[in-house]
Amino acid sequence: MWGKTKKGVQGQTAEFHATEADWRAGYLQIVADVSTTYFLILQLDEQVEQQQRAITKNEQILAIYETLHSNGLISDTDVLRQRAENNRLTKDLLELRRSRDVTENALATLLGVPAGDFKVQPDRLQQRVQVPTVPAGLPLELLARRPDVVAAEFRVLEAHDLMGQARLAQLPSVSLTGNGGTSSLALSDLFKAFTFGLMRASIFRRSIPHQGACQDNRGAGQSRRADYRRTVIAAYEEVENALVNVEAHRRQKEQLQKQVDQLQLVSAQTEAQLEIGVVSQLDVFENERSLLSAQDELLASYQQVLSDTVTLYKALGGGWSGMEVTNASR
């Protein structure tokens, strides 16, 4: 009669939606982990390829050093230093292959497949995956669909509904039955109680235990409102940090790309100078080694931008598709 059952149903419905939002938060985390792990595998594939080229170049440099040493043109120190460099590169190649295998096992576990039974074909990250464009002026409403924000919001509603249920529980329970309307407290007796002021003694005595429940739910409501506020503030920070990282690492990647382009020109010019005898083969190999080092930094930067974009996707509760964006620039 007083609606306390309805309030309880509303509270449980809110908890159901909050739990559903928790499930979506876990789902988004798995999606993000699968994406970043897959990108890392492709990065390691490309690093292995670049490392193998670096080893080949350094072996050629070592051969030249040994020839120069045999002719008395350089000391033992130069040859030993280059051999040590080759040993380091070989060790790093073995580590890259180990990391690739371990990361592949991690991806298999994320996909629910036993480690070792799942294989990813080697590929190149920069050719396989394109960096998505993040539009400027993302609407603030995107935060409203974040699973953690949704869950916190529903738990605030749940606390309010249950608090209302506890308050209504202080009213007497009236059971309407099929035996002529009689019950533990007949409706006519209830009206008489109101009329003669007897409710305090005869009706509300059994409602005293519910007062503690009302106070408990009021405290829970305040706590969940504070949790909601903290969740929203943390969501703002996470999105802002993700936007800052995406933009900063994107600019760094552009500068590294320019560096690689310039070193490629230097390498081509050195090759041309070698043909006319202006430079030595050693100069060519040294330039190519610098180019390979810069390409490795560019690859790492590329993977970082992809990882930052995945983080932004998760921070926005599932990306920005289907939402209108303004033309505001950041």
Side-chain angles (χ1 to χ4, degrees):
M1 180 175 180
W2 309 111
K4 61 183 179 182
T5 301
K6 180 180 179 181
K7 286 289 185 180
V9 171
Q10 291 173 343
Q12 294 301 319
T13 302
E15 173 58 24
F16 167 76
H17 288 303
T19 304
E20 189 178 38
D22 290 337
W23 175 89
R24 177 165 173 77
Y27 172 79
L28 280 177
Q29 184 62 56
I30 291 177
V31 170
D33 290 343
V34 168
S35 300
T36 54
T37 304
Y38 176 67
F39 296 156
L40 180 57
I41 289 174
L42 298 187
Q43 177 192 1
L44 289 167
D45 284 336
E46 200 163 344
Q47 283 182 309
V48 166
E49 183 179 337
Q50 292 179 357
Q51 191 74 3
Q52 289 173 333
R53 293 202 304 268
I55 290 175
T56 299
K57 296 301 178 183
N58 278 271
E59 287 177 347
Q60 293 172 338
I61 292 174
L62 177 59
I64 293 176
Y65 276 2
E66 289 176 341
T67 301
L68 293 175
H69 176 263
S70 62
N71 293 328
L73 299 177
I74 60 174
S75 63
D76 293 340
T77 303
D78 295 328
V79 176
L80 294 175
R81 185 181 295 112
Q82 185 58 43
R83 287 177 180 172
E85 176 67 11
N86 289 9
N87 293 335
R88 184 189 67 80
L89 292 173
T90 302
K91 183 266 298 181
D92 291 344
L93 176 60
L94 295 173
E95 176 62 22
L96 287 172
R97 289 173 173 168
R98 183 202 66 81
S99 298
R100 206 272 187 190
D101 291 340
V102 171
T103 307
E104 188 177 56
N105 290 339
L107 180 59
T109 300
L110 287 172
L111 296 176
V113 180
D117 293 346
F118 179 81
K119 298 297 180 183
V120 177
Q121 293 298 322
D123 208 334
R124 294 181 177 180
L125 177 65
Q126 298 178 89
Q127 296 180 0
R128 180 69 174 175
V129 183
Q130 298 298 319
V131 176
T133 301
V134 178
L138 291 173
L140 192 62
E141 289 78 8
L142 286 171
L143 287 179
R145 67 180 186 181
R146 274 179 58 118
D148 56 344
V149 173
V150 173
E153 181 179 1
F154 274 115
R155 289 195 166 98
V156 172
L157 297 177
E158 176 200 4
H160 279 284
D161 286 331
L162 294 181
M163 183 170 63
Q165 183 188 25
R167 286 174 175 173
L168 291 173
Q170 297 183 36
L171 297 175
S173 297
V174 178
S175 301
L176 298 178
T177 66
N179 55 352
T182 60
S183 64
S184 59
L185 179 62
L187 193 57
S188 60
D189 294 334
L190 174 63
F191 290 144
K192 290 178 182 178
F194 273 109
T195 303
F196 294 102
L198 301 177
M199 295 184 66
R200 180 176 58 184
S202 63
I203 298 175
F204 281 98
R205 184 179 297 115
R206 58 181 169 175
S207 69
I208 294 176
H210 294 293
Q211 295 177 359
C214 185
Q215 294 175 353
D216 290 342
N217 283 313
R218 185 182 297 110
Q222 294 174 350
S223 175
R224 291 185 179 181
R225 284 195 297 272
D227 290 340
Y228 177 75
R229 176 179 173 81
R230 285 193 294 269
T231 300
V232 172
I233 292 176
Y236 274 106
E237 180 185 6
E238 186 177 349
V239 171
E240 284 296 325
N241 288 343
L243 288 170
V244 169
N245 290 335
V246 167
E247 180 63 16
H249 290 143
R250 182 186 63 81
R251 292 182 179 180
Q252 293 176 12
K253 181 178 72 68
E254 291 175 353
Q255 295 301 316
L256 285 169
Q257 183 63 63
K258 292 179 180 179
Q259 179 185 2
V260 168
D261 294 341
Q262 292 170 357
L263 289 175
Q264 286 176 336
L265 290 176
V266 171
S267 179
Q269 292 174 357
T270 307
E271 289 280 358
Q273 292 172 351
L274 177 65
E275 295 180 358
I276 61 177
V278 177
V279 298
S280 65
Q281 186 69 52
L282 183 60
D283 294 328
V284 174
F285 291 150
E286 289 290 351
N287 288 331
E288 290 180 349
R289 182 162 60 178
S290 299
L291 175 60
L292 287 171
S293 177
Q295 288 175 334
D296 189 63
E297 291 184 28
L298 176 60
L299 174 61
S301 178
Y302 194 91
Q303 193 275 339
Q304 183 62 60
V305 173
L306 286 174
S307 179
D308 292 337
T309 306
V310 171
T311 300
L312 177 61
Y313 173 90
K314 182 170 69 72
L316 292 173
W320 49 86
S321 61
M323 300 292 293
E324 293 184 0
V325 297
T326 65
N327 293 323
S329 60
R330 292 189 57 82

